[in-house]
């Protein structure tokens, strides 16, 4: 490995850094995993699945993932309001990464 290559590179210019900027956060990966497993999930179902997350944090995190183009929010005009979340096509491209993380965890769990 060439040290010169490392010396001239900047982490902020890498694809790794960009990916981390999208998925970094306490609950983002759990939300993405939930949507990968269950495909379409309502807000309160997501809250029950995650458990310890507050409604405010869940809402803010879903908004961030939606703004980044990873999660789709579908709102139905009815009473009571019905909102469903799912992965976008862009979000679905993270599935191999999520699967690999699951496999690694299963193999390396102590």
């Amino acid at each position: 490995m060439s040290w010169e290559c490392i010396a001239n590179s900047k982490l902020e210019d890498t694809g790794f850094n960009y990916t981390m900027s999208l998925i970094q956060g306490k609950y983002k990966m759990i939300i993405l995993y939930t949507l990968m497993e269950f495909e379409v999930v309502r807000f309160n179902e997501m809250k029950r699945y995650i458990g310890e997350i507050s409604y405010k944090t869940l809402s803010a995190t879903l908004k961030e993932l939606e703004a980044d183009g990873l999660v789709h929010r579908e709102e139905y005009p009815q009473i009571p309001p019905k909102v469903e979340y799912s992965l976008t096509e862009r979000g679905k491209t993270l599935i191999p990464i999520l699967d690999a993380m699951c496999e690694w965890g299963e193999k390396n769990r102590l």
Side-chain angles (χ1 to χ4, degrees), residues 15-92:
F16 175 81
N17 189 61
Y18 177 72
T19 303
M20 290 304 296
S21 74
L22 296 179
I23 63 173
Q24 195 169 338
K26 186 171 181 180
Y27 297 104
K28 285 186 177 182
M29 291 298 288
I30 295 169
I31 290 169
L32 292 169
Y33 176 80
T34 302
L35 294 173
M36 177 188 81
E37 285 295 312
F38 299 109
E39 295 183 12
V40 177
V41 180
R42 294 180 67 179
F43 186 88
N44 285 329
E45 291 173 331
M46 181 83 66
K47 169 73 173 91
R48 279 192 300 275
Y49 181 77
I50 296 172
E52 73 276 358
I53 191 171
S54 71
Y55 288 103
K56 182 179 178 180
T57 301
L58 178 57
S59 179
T61 305
L62 284 165
K63 284 178 184 175
E64 288 176 20
L65 291 167
E66 184 182 8
D68 290 332
L70 300 176
V71 169
H72 172 72
R73 180 180 189 270
E74 185 70 37
E75 187 173 343
Y76 297 92
Q78 65 185 47
I79 297 174
K82 178 181 174 183
V83 179
E84 295 179 336
Y85 295 90
S86 59
L87 291 176
T88 62
E89 289 304 313
R90 183 178 190 209
K92 289 176 184 176

